[in-house]
Amino acid sequence: GAKVKLTFSNSDDMLHNLVIVQPGTAIEVGELALKMGLEGSQKNYIPDSEKVLFHTNILSPETSETIYFEAPAVPGDYMYVCTFPGHAYVMQGVFRVSN
């Protein structure tokens, strides 16, 4: 339940986003984003899924975005992932929530 301020800076030369998801669901959410087709770019490649908790928009190279949220109340290793098509398989990490 702690308040979180997260600033995602895209220092790469391609589009990226940052999506925090339920534990163990990074690949699943990434594959849902792949299936969005043309709608994907309009929705920042964020699929309609209860497994998506928090997210940035798609960011162009050399831009950043700050999001604010409350950390999940249940401790655990939540995942973060880039859901731009194809990126979820290698661009992911852990957002650890503890008491």
Side-chain angles (χ1 to χ4, degrees), residues 20-85:
I20 298 175
V21 299
Q22 292 287 346
T25 64
I27 296 297
E28 179 183 345
V29 171
E31 289 177 347
L32 289 172
L34 272 173
K35 294 177 183 176
M36 293 176 76
L38 296 175
E39 181 182 51
S41 63
Q42 297 167 342
K43 292 188 168 186
N44 291 290
Y45 297 99
I46 306 297
D48 293 325
S49 170
E50 69 282 351
K51 294 178 179 160
V52 172
L53 302 177
F54 316 104
H55 64 85
T56 67
N57 293 306
I58 284 287
L59 298 182
S60 298
E62 304 303 325
T63 62
S64 64
E65 180 180 358
T66 300
I67 59 173
Y68 301 86
F69 57 91
E70 287 188 12
V74 177
D77 289 343
Y78 293 79
M79 306 294 294
Y80 61 86
V81 60
C82 175
T83 57
F84 187 80

